[in-house]
Amino acid sequence: MCSSDLIEGLKTLTGITAPTLVSAVSGRVARVSVTVAGTSAATIYDASSVATATSARILAVVTNTVGVYVINMPVTYGIVVAPGYGMTVAISYS
């Protein structure tokens, strides 16, 4: 594995429309793609479960505008994505 793989993300999960545990281990959030804008922002958490995705674990907030957002941040506990109301997102991570 080369360093660019970590930045680009080795895995993807698409079609996320509800709070979802993407990964329960340490890693990196590479990018988030908003495919349907919805009416509120998405939140990305450094958390090992949806239950532990609290305000203290917020990694990033992604606006409710269709597009690709580079996050490129490490996580210690895992990755939880909580799309905004009516939003659909995809995530690239390692």
Side-chain angles (χ1 to χ4, degrees):
M1 175 180 1
C2 68
S3 61
S4 66
D5 290 337
L6 295 175
I7 295 170
E8 297 301 320
L10 295 174
K11 302 173 185 176
T12 59
L13 184 61
T14 62
I16 303 169
T17 59
T20 301
L21 175 63
V22 174
S23 173
V25 298
S26 63
R28 178 173 294 273
V29 176
R31 291 184 170 89
V32 175
S33 297
V34 176
T35 55
V36 177
T39 59
S40 60
T43 307
I44 313 302
Y45 297 91
D46 182 354
S48 59
S49 70
V50 172
T52 61
T54 63
S55 61
R57 295 280 175 91
I58 293 174
L59 182 70
V61 175
V62 178
T63 64
N64 59 325
T65 304
V66 171
V68 177
Y69 299 87
V70 177
I71 307 298
N72 192 22
M73 294 286 293
V75 295
T76 301
Y77 303 103
I79 303 166
V80 172
V81 176
Y85 183 78
M87 181 183 263
T88 303
V89 299
I91 187 168
S92 172
Y93 65 100
S94 295

